[in-house]
Amino acid sequence: MKFPVLCALLMTLPLVGRAATPSAAPHAYTITADEWAQPRSGAEMAAMAPVRAAVQDWMQHPGYRIVILHSGDEIGGLWSGEVHDWLVALGVPSTAIASRVSGENESSVTLSVEP
């Protein structure tokens, strides 16, 4: 399976800024509201540590998917949709992405790489 250039770029860029924040679950990466509030472009998304780490993790686990865990309120649903769209733009097939309400933190979303 071939991935677009940006997906390949994710594998070569060093992690920029702080390291990805793992949540309690293995294979999970949290994007805070402060991180998400930064201006976004393809290059910025590819360099965002939690996004980059989640995509790299997913690429190393064939058959897994990236699950976007969000608060379930209107803002969480919109945020989840934006993250989904950026992941697709970075080369992750839409069929490898799911969204699930976590009922937890309203100020973050978590990307969980799951079988």
XYZ file of all heavy atoms in Angstrom:
854
model
N 0.843 -1.168 0.000
C 0.000 0.000 0.000
C 0.891 1.234 0.000
O 1.808 1.329 0.780
C -0.891 -0.026 1.243
C -1.687 1.235 1.430
S -2.650 1.229 2.953
C -4.010 0.245 2.455
N 0.607 2.196 -0.892
C 1.395 3.423 -0.965
C 0.664 4.531 -0.229
O -0.542 4.645 -0.274
C 1.620 3.822 -2.410
C 2.558 2.892 -3.122
C 2.952 3.464 -4.432
C 4.008 2.564 -5.043
N 4.764 3.216 -6.054
N 1.428 5.382 0.440
C 0.881 6.506 1.170
C 1.340 7.793 0.508
O 2.434 7.847 -0.031
C 1.345 6.494 2.627
C 0.880 5.273 3.360
C 1.743 4.217 3.578
C -0.415 5.172 3.807
C 1.324 3.092 4.236
C -0.846 4.042 4.465
C 0.015 2.998 4.681
N 0.541 8.844 0.550
C 0.954 10.119 -0.023
C 2.247 10.641 0.597
O 2.708 10.174 1.630
C -0.214 11.046 0.305
C -1.386 10.135 0.416
C -0.830 8.859 1.012
N 2.788 11.625 -0.065
C 4.075 12.191 0.326
C 4.074 12.677 1.774
O 5.050 12.458 2.500
C 4.444 13.352 -0.622
C 5.702 14.053 -0.176
C 4.593 12.837 -2.031
N 3.003 13.316 2.234
C 2.995 13.821 3.607
C 3.111 12.700 4.625
O 3.743 12.852 5.660
C 1.739 14.647 3.886
C 1.760 16.060 3.335
C 0.429 16.754 3.599
C 2.890 16.872 3.911
N 2.503 11.565 4.334
C 2.607 10.429 5.248
C 4.064 9.967 5.319
O 4.577 9.669 6.388
C 1.692 9.305 4.781
S 0.993 8.355 6.122
N 4.733 9.928 4.174
C 6.148 9.564 4.156
C 6.970 10.605 4.905
O 7.921 10.276 5.603
C 6.635 9.420 2.725
N 6.566 11.868 4.783
C 7.254 12.941 5.487
C 7.197 12.739 6.995
O 8.152 13.018 7.713
C 6.618 14.287 5.114
C 7.152 15.540 5.786
C 8.597 15.782 5.348
C 6.282 16.727 5.442
N 6.083 12.215 7.481
C 5.936 11.974 8.915
C 7.020 11.048 9.449
O 7.450 11.170 10.585
C 4.568 11.360 9.224
C 3.392 12.295 9.099
C 2.100 11.509 9.192
C 3.434 13.368 10.159
N 7.447 10.122 8.631
C 8.448 9.158 9.076
C 9.854 9.763 9.130
O 10.726 9.241 9.804
C 8.457 7.940 8.139
C 7.174 7.140 8.189
S 6.775 6.498 9.817
C 8.052 5.269 9.988
N 10.063 10.885 8.418
C 11.407 11.449 8.351
C 11.594 12.681 9.210
O 12.721 13.042 9.528
C 11.768 11.805 6.893
O 10.839 12.779 6.415
C 11.749 10.570 6.020
N 10.514 13.353 9.587
C 10.642 14.564 10.401
C 10.996 14.210 11.839
O 10.435 13.283 12.412
C 9.315 15.335 10.432
C 8.930 16.119 9.206
C 7.528 16.680 9.393
C 9.912 17.233 8.941
N 11.906 14.960 12.449
C 12.127 14.758 13.881
C 10.923 15.320 14.632
O 10.221 16.181 14.119
C 13.385 15.586 14.162
C 13.383 16.626 13.090
C 12.747 15.987 11.881
N 10.674 14.801 15.806
C 9.594 15.358 16.612
C 9.946 16.797 16.949
O 11.041 17.089 17.411
C 9.385 14.551 17.897
C 8.691 13.214 17.702
C 8.672 12.443 19.019
C 7.282 13.388 17.194
N 9.012 17.707 16.685
C 9.231 19.122 16.923
C 8.508 19.514 18.199
O 7.400 19.087 18.445
C 8.694 19.949 15.729
C 8.830 21.425 15.993
C 9.422 19.549 14.459
N 9.127 20.360 19.000
C 8.491 20.788 20.236
C 8.540 19.684 21.268
O 9.423 18.849 21.271
N 7.523 19.651 22.111
C 7.526 18.620 23.149
C 7.100 17.276 22.589
O 6.463 17.191 21.557
C 6.652 19.041 24.309
C 5.202 19.070 24.014
C 4.517 19.649 25.222
N 3.671 20.706 24.734
C 2.455 20.906 25.129
N 1.953 20.190 26.084
N 1.731 21.850 24.630
N 7.459 16.255 23.276
C 7.166 14.888 22.829
C 5.673 14.627 22.912
O 4.947 15.306 23.617
C 7.918 13.890 23.700
N 5.235 13.633 22.176
C 3.835 13.235 22.228
C 3.482 12.852 23.653
O 4.268 12.253 24.369
C 3.601 12.043 21.302
N 2.283 13.213 24.056
C 1.838 12.944 25.408
C 1.046 11.652 25.423
O -0.078 11.617 24.952
C 0.943 14.097 25.913
O 1.648 15.318 25.725
C 0.572 13.917 27.353
N 1.615 10.565 25.909
C 0.845 9.334 25.941
C -0.183 9.377 27.060
O 0.072 9.924 28.126
C 1.898 8.256 26.206
C 3.023 8.968 26.843
C 2.968 10.402 26.384
N -1.371 8.850 26.812
C -2.358 8.760 27.881
C -2.108 7.445 28.614
O -1.139 6.755 28.357
C -3.767 8.809 27.293
O -4.030 7.633 26.585
N -3.029 7.087 29.503
C -2.849 5.874 30.299
C -2.833 4.615 29.434
O -2.165 3.653 29.758
C -3.959 5.778 31.333
N -3.581 4.627 28.340
C -3.643 3.459 27.460
C -2.418 3.420 26.552
O -1.930 4.452 26.129
C -4.910 3.513 26.625
N -1.915 2.217 26.246
C -0.808 2.142 25.294
C -1.306 2.558 23.915
O -2.483 2.419 23.600
C -0.413 0.668 25.331
C -1.602 -0.041 25.858
C -2.338 0.933 26.723
N -0.421 3.052 23.097
C -0.750 3.465 21.738
C -1.770 4.598 21.724
O -2.666 4.626 20.892
C -1.265 2.299 20.897
C -0.332 1.135 20.835
N 0.792 1.136 20.051
C -0.347 -0.045 21.482
C 1.419 -0.013 20.207
N 0.763 -0.749 21.073
N -1.670 5.544 22.644
C -2.606 6.665 22.702
C -1.825 7.972 22.833
O -0.841 8.040 23.567
C -3.563 6.495 23.869
N -2.283 8.988 22.093
C -1.572 10.261 22.017
C -2.578 11.393 22.140
O -3.547 11.457 21.375
C -0.816 10.349 20.685
C 0.020 9.107 20.456
C -0.510 8.009 19.768
C 1.297 8.994 20.986
C 0.228 6.851 19.594
C 2.045 7.833 20.814
C 1.504 6.768 20.120
O 2.224 5.620 19.961
N -2.359 12.294 23.083
C -3.318 13.345 23.379
C -2.926 14.669 22.739
O -1.777 15.098 22.834
C -3.449 13.517 24.912
O -3.913 12.279 25.456
C -4.422 14.613 25.267
N -3.901 15.297 22.099
C -3.745 16.636 21.549
C -4.497 17.583 22.482
O -5.705 17.440 22.675
C -4.353 16.750 20.136
C -3.767 15.714 19.191
C -4.151 18.168 19.592
C -4.497 15.625 17.853
N -3.785 18.531 23.061
C -4.423 19.484 23.971
C -5.073 20.613 23.178
O -4.751 20.837 22.001
C -3.400 20.101 24.941
O -2.481 20.908 24.186
C -2.658 19.026 25.726
N -5.966 21.328 23.834
C -6.621 22.472 23.190
C -5.591 23.522 22.797
O -5.714 24.152 21.743
C -7.672 23.058 24.127
N -4.567 23.720 23.614
C -3.516 24.698 23.287
C -2.767 24.289 22.025
O -2.467 25.128 21.175
C -2.529 24.853 24.444
C -3.130 25.595 25.621
O -4.134 26.315 25.448
O -2.590 25.443 26.738
N -2.447 23.006 21.886
C -1.774 22.530 20.675
C -2.670 22.724 19.455
O -2.214 23.155 18.397
C -1.399 21.050 20.802
C -0.268 20.785 21.760
C -0.064 19.312 22.032
O -1.053 18.580 22.258
O 1.103 18.893 22.016
N -3.957 22.413 19.615
C -4.880 22.492 18.492
C -5.179 23.941 18.104
O -5.540 24.220 16.963
C -6.177 21.757 18.816
C -6.989 21.509 17.594
C -8.162 22.113 17.252
C -6.682 20.609 16.526
N -8.599 21.633 16.043
C -7.705 20.710 15.575
C -5.626 19.728 16.281
C -7.721 19.966 14.402
C -5.645 18.988 15.120
C -6.674 19.110 14.201
N -5.019 24.881 19.028
C -5.314 26.290 18.758
C -4.269 26.945 17.854
O -4.505 28.025 17.323
C -5.413 27.057 20.069
N -3.138 26.284 17.651
C -2.094 26.830 16.786
C -2.569 26.810 15.331
O -3.368 25.963 14.954
C -0.802 26.011 16.926
C -0.253 25.946 18.333
C 0.018 27.328 18.908
O 0.639 28.166 18.274
N -0.485 27.553 20.107
N -2.067 27.755 14.512
C -2.427 27.729 13.082
C -2.065 26.370 12.477
O -1.040 25.789 12.823
C -1.557 28.839 12.482
C -1.225 29.736 13.628
C -1.159 28.840 14.839
N -2.944 25.873 11.600
C -2.728 24.544 11.032
C -2.512 24.608 9.524
O -3.181 25.335 8.815
C -3.920 23.640 11.358
C -4.003 23.297 12.827
C -5.184 22.409 13.151
N -6.485 23.022 13.014
C -7.028 23.865 13.887
N -6.348 24.219 14.961
N -8.227 24.358 13.688
N -1.572 23.805 9.086
C -1.305 23.571 7.669
C -0.867 22.110 7.588
O -0.656 21.467 8.621
C -0.190 24.491 7.166
O 1.043 24.149 7.777
N -0.692 21.616 6.389
C -0.230 20.230 6.250
C 1.090 20.006 6.954
O 1.273 19.019 7.670
N 2.020 20.939 6.787
C 3.334 20.804 7.422
C 3.220 20.885 8.943
O 3.885 20.131 9.659
C 4.289 21.879 6.905
N 2.385 21.791 9.431
C 2.197 21.918 10.886
C 1.569 20.661 11.467
O 1.952 20.198 12.536
C 1.325 23.142 11.223
C 1.978 24.468 10.913
C 3.198 24.750 11.771
O 3.226 24.346 12.949
O 4.132 25.379 11.244
N 0.582 20.099 10.775
C -0.058 18.878 11.261
C 0.926 17.718 11.250
O 0.958 16.914 12.185
C -1.285 18.536 10.411
C -2.447 19.484 10.613
S -3.004 19.614 12.329
C -3.549 17.954 12.624
N 1.743 17.634 10.208
C 2.725 16.550 10.120
C 3.762 16.667 11.223
O 4.322 15.662 11.657
C 3.408 16.560 8.750
N 4.001 17.893 11.690
C 5.003 18.113 12.736
C 4.409 18.083 14.146
O 5.158 17.989 15.120
C 5.702 19.452 12.508
N 3.075 18.128 14.283
C 2.450 18.110 15.610
C 2.741 16.758 16.261
O 2.334 15.708 15.758
C 0.952 18.361 15.502
C 0.275 18.520 16.854
S -1.511 18.827 16.721
C -1.522 20.457 16.000
N 3.462 16.774 17.361
C 3.986 15.545 17.973
C 2.939 14.444 18.173
O 3.185 13.302 17.779
C 4.699 15.871 19.280
N 1.763 14.724 18.752
C 0.808 13.623 18.944
C 0.283 13.050 17.631
O 0.101 11.839 17.508
C -0.322 14.259 19.751
C 0.259 15.489 20.350
C 1.318 15.958 19.407
N 0.052 13.902 16.647
C -0.442 13.438 15.348
C 0.632 12.596 14.667
O 0.376 11.494 14.178
C -0.866 14.627 14.452
C -1.209 14.155 13.048
C -2.032 15.379 15.084
N 1.836 13.124 14.666
C 2.953 12.423 14.032
C 3.180 11.056 14.682
O 3.325 10.040 14.009
C 4.220 13.265 14.135
C 5.408 12.609 13.495
C 6.598 13.576 13.474
N 7.682 12.991 12.734
C 8.611 12.225 13.271
N 8.602 11.970 14.555
N 9.566 11.714 12.528
N 3.173 11.034 16.007
C 3.405 9.777 16.727
C 2.287 8.776 16.456
O 2.548 7.580 16.252
C 3.534 10.049 18.221
N 1.037 9.245 16.422
C -0.086 8.339 16.174
C -0.014 7.747 14.765
O -0.225 6.552 14.576
C -1.410 9.071 16.377
N 0.312 8.584 13.774
C 0.391 8.081 12.398
C 1.562 7.115 12.255
O 1.433 6.056 11.623
C 0.474 9.240 11.385
C 0.746 8.717 9.983
C -0.820 10.050 11.397
N 2.689 7.430 12.859
C 3.824 6.505 12.802
C 3.466 5.175 13.462
O 3.781 4.111 12.932
C 5.054 7.105 13.487
C 5.725 8.173 12.682
C 6.946 8.734 13.393
O 7.014 8.756 14.613
N 7.898 9.194 12.615
N 2.824 5.233 14.608
C 2.403 4.030 15.325
C 1.453 3.217 14.445
O 1.611 1.999 14.289
C 1.732 4.445 16.638
C 1.461 3.290 17.578
O 1.699 2.116 17.224
O 0.990 3.565 18.702
N 0.474 3.884 13.845
C -0.490 3.201 12.980
C 0.216 2.542 11.793
O -0.109 1.413 11.421
C -1.534 4.215 12.501
C -2.401 3.688 11.408
C -3.435 2.807 11.534
C -2.288 3.980 10.019
N -3.980 2.545 10.295
C -3.289 3.260 9.355
C -1.435 4.795 9.277
C -3.466 3.318 7.981
C -1.615 4.866 7.912
C -2.620 4.126 7.279
N 1.187 3.240 11.194
C 1.906 2.684 10.049
C 2.705 1.438 10.429
O 2.938 0.568 9.602
C 2.821 3.743 9.432
C 2.044 4.857 8.740
S 3.098 6.189 8.122
C 3.897 5.352 6.763
N 3.102 1.343 11.684
C 3.874 0.189 12.149
C 2.983 -0.975 12.580
O 3.494 -2.036 12.937
C 4.778 0.608 13.305
C 5.856 1.585 12.888
C 6.642 2.125 14.066
O 6.452 1.718 15.208
N 7.524 3.066 13.791
N 1.678 -0.779 12.559
C 0.736 -1.815 12.989
C -0.325 -2.045 11.914
O -1.452 -1.545 12.028
C 0.080 -1.426 14.321
C 1.030 -1.390 15.459
N 1.696 -0.245 15.839
C 1.472 -2.369 16.279
C 2.495 -0.519 16.851
N 2.379 -1.801 17.138
N 0.015 -2.804 10.873
C -0.962 -3.081 9.810
C -2.242 -3.678 10.387
O -2.208 -4.518 11.295
C -0.244 -4.089 8.917
C 1.209 -3.863 9.187
C 1.296 -3.465 10.638
N -3.364 -3.213 9.881
C -4.653 -3.713 10.344
C -5.221 -2.934 11.513
O -6.390 -3.107 11.854
N -4.423 -2.097 12.138
C -4.918 -1.265 13.233
C -5.631 -0.056 12.649
O -5.590 0.201 11.454
C -3.767 -0.787 14.117
C -3.302 -1.790 15.138
C -3.227 -3.143 14.860
C -2.904 -1.369 16.397
C -2.780 -4.057 15.812
C -2.451 -2.265 17.347
C -2.400 -3.605 17.051
O -1.961 -4.498 17.994
N -6.287 0.704 13.509
C -6.929 1.945 13.088
C -6.643 3.026 14.120
O -6.250 2.728 15.248
C -8.425 1.754 12.898
C -9.128 1.363 14.166
C -10.562 1.005 13.905
N -11.126 0.553 15.171
C -12.378 0.659 15.498
N -13.242 1.179 14.652
N -12.808 0.238 16.656
N -6.843 4.245 13.709
C -6.701 5.371 14.625
C -8.091 5.756 15.079
O -8.959 6.077 14.257
C -6.004 6.565 13.942
C -4.592 6.186 13.503
C -5.978 7.769 14.896
C -3.862 7.261 12.716
N -8.321 5.691 16.378
C -9.614 6.063 16.950
C -9.457 7.423 17.607
O -8.571 7.636 18.437
C -10.097 5.017 17.987
C -11.421 5.457 18.600
C -10.219 3.649 17.337
N -10.328 8.348 17.207
C -10.314 9.697 17.776
C -11.285 9.705 18.950
O -12.493 9.562 18.769
C -10.734 10.736 16.724
C -9.851 10.634 15.487
C -10.700 12.144 17.330
C -10.396 11.357 14.263
N -10.750 9.820 20.151
C -11.564 9.844 21.364
C -11.826 11.301 21.726
O -10.888 12.085 21.869
C -10.832 9.147 22.507
C -10.461 7.689 22.238
C -9.467 7.194 23.265
C -11.711 6.830 22.241
N -13.113 11.658 21.866
C -13.473 13.049 22.154
C -14.549 13.110 23.221
O -15.155 12.104 23.583
C -13.903 13.769 20.872
C -15.102 13.149 20.216
N -16.382 13.538 20.492
C -15.201 12.158 19.303
C -17.229 12.829 19.774
N -16.527 11.973 19.046
N -14.814 14.317 23.710
C -15.708 14.504 24.853
C -17.168 14.194 24.564
O -17.924 13.910 25.477
C -15.596 15.941 25.363
O -16.003 16.853 24.363
N -17.609 14.272 23.325
C -18.989 13.948 22.998
C -19.909 15.148 22.928
O -21.025 15.035 22.429
N -19.448 16.306 23.387
C -20.272 17.500 23.236
C -20.096 18.049 21.821
O -19.380 17.476 20.991
C -19.931 18.548 24.299
C -18.488 19.030 24.240
O -17.749 18.649 23.323
O -18.103 19.807 25.135
N -20.767 19.158 21.518
C -20.710 19.706 20.161
C -19.287 20.078 19.751
O -18.847 19.765 18.634
C -21.608 20.938 20.055
C -21.680 21.505 18.657
C -22.642 22.671 18.545
O -23.353 22.985 19.519
O -22.673 23.274 17.460
N -18.555 20.704 20.641
C -17.174 21.101 20.337
C -16.303 19.866 20.114
O -15.514 19.812 19.178
C -16.603 21.999 21.444
C -17.343 23.335 21.434
C -15.104 22.197 21.279
C -17.020 24.256 22.580
N -16.464 18.858 20.954
C -15.693 17.626 20.792
C -15.988 16.944 19.460
O -15.089 16.432 18.800
N -17.251 16.959 19.050
C -17.626 16.368 17.772
C -17.021 17.116 16.593
O -16.531 16.511 15.640
N -17.032 18.446 16.663
C -16.427 19.253 15.603
C -14.922 19.039 15.551
O -14.336 18.896 14.472
C -16.741 20.737 15.819
C -18.199 21.140 15.608
C -18.429 22.580 16.079
C -18.608 20.970 14.157
N -14.298 19.018 16.735
C -12.850 18.807 16.825
C -12.478 17.446 16.234
O -11.540 17.311 15.465
C -12.426 18.931 18.275
C -10.973 19.035 18.556
C -9.940 18.938 17.660
C -10.365 19.248 19.814
N -8.738 19.072 18.314
C -8.972 19.265 19.633
C -10.869 19.410 21.110
C -8.078 19.441 20.676
C -9.975 19.597 22.144
C -8.590 19.609 21.931
N -13.254 16.434 16.573
C -13.020 15.093 16.050
C -13.103 15.080 14.525
O -12.287 14.453 13.850
C -14.045 14.119 16.642
O -13.949 12.865 16.036
N -14.086 15.779 13.984
C -14.230 15.861 12.538
C -13.036 16.533 11.875
O -12.567 16.087 10.820
N -12.532 17.592 12.497
C -11.353 18.280 11.955
C -10.125 17.366 11.996
O -9.359 17.307 11.028
C -11.047 19.539 12.757
C -11.926 20.712 12.443
C -11.438 21.950 13.168
O -10.307 22.414 12.903
O -12.205 22.441 14.022
N -9.931 16.679 13.107
C -8.791 15.764 13.223
C -8.907 14.677 12.152
O -7.926 14.347 11.483
C -8.700 15.148 14.641
C -7.651 14.055 14.701
C -8.401 16.234 15.679
N -10.100 14.122 11.988
C -10.333 13.105 10.957
C -9.908 13.630 9.588
O -9.183 12.958 8.851
C -11.810 12.699 10.955
C -12.164 11.716 9.889
N -12.425 12.095 8.587
C -12.285 10.369 9.923
C -12.696 11.027 7.875
N -12.624 9.965 8.658
N -10.371 14.830 9.239
C -10.055 15.402 7.931
C -8.559 15.612 7.745
O -8.015 15.358 6.666
C -10.809 16.716 7.724
C -12.316 16.513 7.600
O -12.768 15.361 7.404
O -13.043 17.521 7.695
N -7.863 16.062 8.795
C -6.417 16.252 8.696
C -5.704 14.913 8.552
O -4.738 14.797 7.795
C -5.873 17.037 9.886
C -6.018 18.516 9.692
C -6.850 19.364 10.376
C -5.319 19.326 8.741
N -6.706 20.630 9.901
C -5.775 20.648 8.902
C -4.362 19.064 7.770
C -5.294 21.712 8.128
C -3.879 20.119 7.000
C -4.344 21.417 7.177
N -6.142 13.896 9.264
C -5.511 12.579 9.123
C -5.658 12.066 7.684
O -4.712 11.527 7.118
C -6.113 11.580 10.115
C -5.746 11.801 11.579
C -6.599 10.904 12.485
C -4.265 11.561 11.819
N -6.833 12.254 7.096
C -7.044 11.848 5.709
C -6.120 12.652 4.796
O -5.498 12.096 3.889
C -8.528 12.006 5.296
C -8.707 11.836 3.795
C -9.394 11.003 6.060
N -6.007 13.957 5.036
C -5.123 14.798 4.222
C -3.666 14.346 4.333
O -2.890 14.506 3.388
C -5.255 16.260 4.638
N -3.299 13.775 5.471
C -1.933 13.285 5.668
C -1.720 11.894 5.084
O -0.617 11.358 5.132
C -1.573 13.291 7.153
C -1.440 14.670 7.790
C -1.253 14.546 9.296
C -0.294 15.450 7.165
N -2.775 11.294 4.549
C -2.608 10.012 3.880
C -3.186 8.813 4.595
O -3.055 7.687 4.117
N -3.833 9.002 5.723
C -4.460 7.877 6.414
C -5.822 7.634 5.755
O -6.639 8.555 5.669
C -4.648 8.176 7.920
C -5.337 7.011 8.620
C -3.311 8.491 8.581
N -6.092 6.424 5.277
C -7.391 6.165 4.646
C -8.536 6.369 5.637
O -8.426 6.014 6.819
C -7.315 4.690 4.238
C -5.871 4.337 4.287
C -5.227 5.246 5.276
N -9.611 6.938 5.147
C -10.776 7.195 5.992
C -11.271 5.917 6.672
O -11.759 5.951 7.797
C -11.891 7.810 5.147
O -12.980 8.166 5.945
N -11.108 4.783 5.997
C -11.556 3.506 6.563
C -10.697 3.055 7.739
O -11.086 2.150 8.472
C -11.539 2.405 5.487
O -10.221 2.322 4.928
C -12.556 2.703 4.387
N -9.538 3.691 7.931
C -8.649 3.343 9.043
C -8.801 4.313 10.212
O -7.990 4.313 11.134
C -7.199 3.324 8.570
N -9.857 5.130 10.162
C -10.091 6.126 11.211
C -11.499 5.935 11.752
O -12.445 5.750 11.005
C -9.954 7.563 10.660
C -8.601 7.767 9.980
C -10.158 8.585 11.777
C -8.508 9.042 9.169
N -11.618 5.978 13.065
C -12.929 5.901 13.718
C -12.992 7.004 14.770
O -11.969 7.558 15.171
C -13.128 4.543 14.362
N -14.189 7.293 15.215
C -14.385 8.303 16.255
C -15.234 7.685 17.350
O -16.170 6.931 17.065
C -15.093 9.520 15.652
O -15.291 10.506 16.623
N -14.886 7.993 18.593
C -15.629 7.420 19.719
C -15.700 8.453 20.842
O -14.712 9.127 21.133
C -14.950 6.140 20.187
C -15.715 5.403 21.253
C -15.171 3.994 21.524
N -13.805 4.005 21.988
C -12.830 3.218 21.503
N -13.080 2.376 20.527
N -11.620 3.271 21.992
N -16.838 8.540 21.478
C -17.010 9.438 22.616
C -16.327 8.820 23.826
O -16.553 7.661 24.157
C -18.507 9.681 22.908
C -18.683 10.478 24.194
C -19.168 10.395 21.739
N -15.462 9.613 24.461
C -14.781 9.125 25.654
C -15.497 9.584 26.910
O -15.348 8.981 27.960
C -13.334 9.631 25.686
O -13.309 11.032 25.879
N -16.237 10.693 26.791
C -16.935 11.230 27.953
C -16.000 11.849 28.964
O -16.386 12.123 30.083
N -14.761 12.087 28.550
C -13.778 12.622 29.490
C -13.470 14.076 29.193
O -14.359 14.876 29.047
C -12.520 11.756 29.455
C -12.770 10.363 30.006
C -11.529 9.502 30.027
O -10.421 10.040 29.894
O -11.682 8.286 30.171
N -12.209 14.391 29.079
C -11.688 15.744 29.005
C -12.206 16.532 27.802
O -12.029 16.129 26.669
C -10.156 15.674 28.968
C -9.500 16.984 29.242
O -10.114 18.044 29.124
N -8.247 16.924 29.598
N -12.826 17.681 28.079
C -13.318 18.541 27.018
C -12.207 19.370 26.391
O -12.414 19.975 25.350
C -14.396 19.477 27.558
C -15.642 18.756 28.002
C -16.667 19.698 28.596
O -16.418 20.913 28.660
O -17.723 19.206 29.001
N -11.042 19.426 27.010
C -9.966 20.281 26.510
C -8.884 19.496 25.773
O -7.775 19.975 25.619
C -9.350 21.075 27.665
O -8.770 20.207 28.603
N -9.230 18.299 25.322
C -8.273 17.507 24.548
C -9.017 16.434 23.757
O -10.165 16.127 24.038
C -7.232 16.845 25.454
O -7.829 15.855 26.260
N -8.330 15.912 22.751
C -8.775 14.691 22.074
C -7.592 13.732 22.118
O -6.441 14.162 22.190
C -9.243 14.901 20.610
C -10.461 15.777 20.537
C -8.142 15.421 19.751
N -7.888 12.463 22.099
C -6.842 11.456 22.145
C -6.922 10.604 20.893
O -8.011 10.192 20.483
C -6.998 10.576 23.403
O -6.862 11.412 24.554
C -5.938 9.477 23.451
N -5.767 10.374 20.288
C -5.670 9.473 19.144
C -5.179 8.139 19.679
O -4.071 8.047 20.213
C -4.687 10.030 18.108
C -5.005 11.423 17.586
C -3.919 11.890 16.633
C -6.350 11.450 16.928
N -6.011 7.141 19.576
C -5.708 5.816 20.088
C -5.502 4.874 18.908
O -6.347 4.793 18.017
C -6.858 5.328 20.965
O -6.619 4.039 21.444
N -4.369 4.189 18.868
C -4.077 3.238 17.794
C -4.476 1.855 18.309
O -3.893 1.355 19.264
C -2.597 3.304 17.389
C -2.294 2.310 16.281
C -2.234 4.722 16.959
N -5.510 1.280 17.676
C -6.129 0.064 18.187
C -6.302 -0.988 17.086
O -6.454 -0.641 15.933
C -7.521 0.382 18.760
C -7.520 1.436 19.830
C -8.935 1.780 20.306
O -9.917 1.175 19.823
O -9.051 2.666 21.168
N -6.330 -2.261 17.494
C -6.609 -3.329 16.514
C -8.043 -3.267 16.019
O -8.895 -2.727 16.616
C -6.362 -4.619 17.286
C -6.064 -4.252 18.677
C -6.066 -2.776 18.799
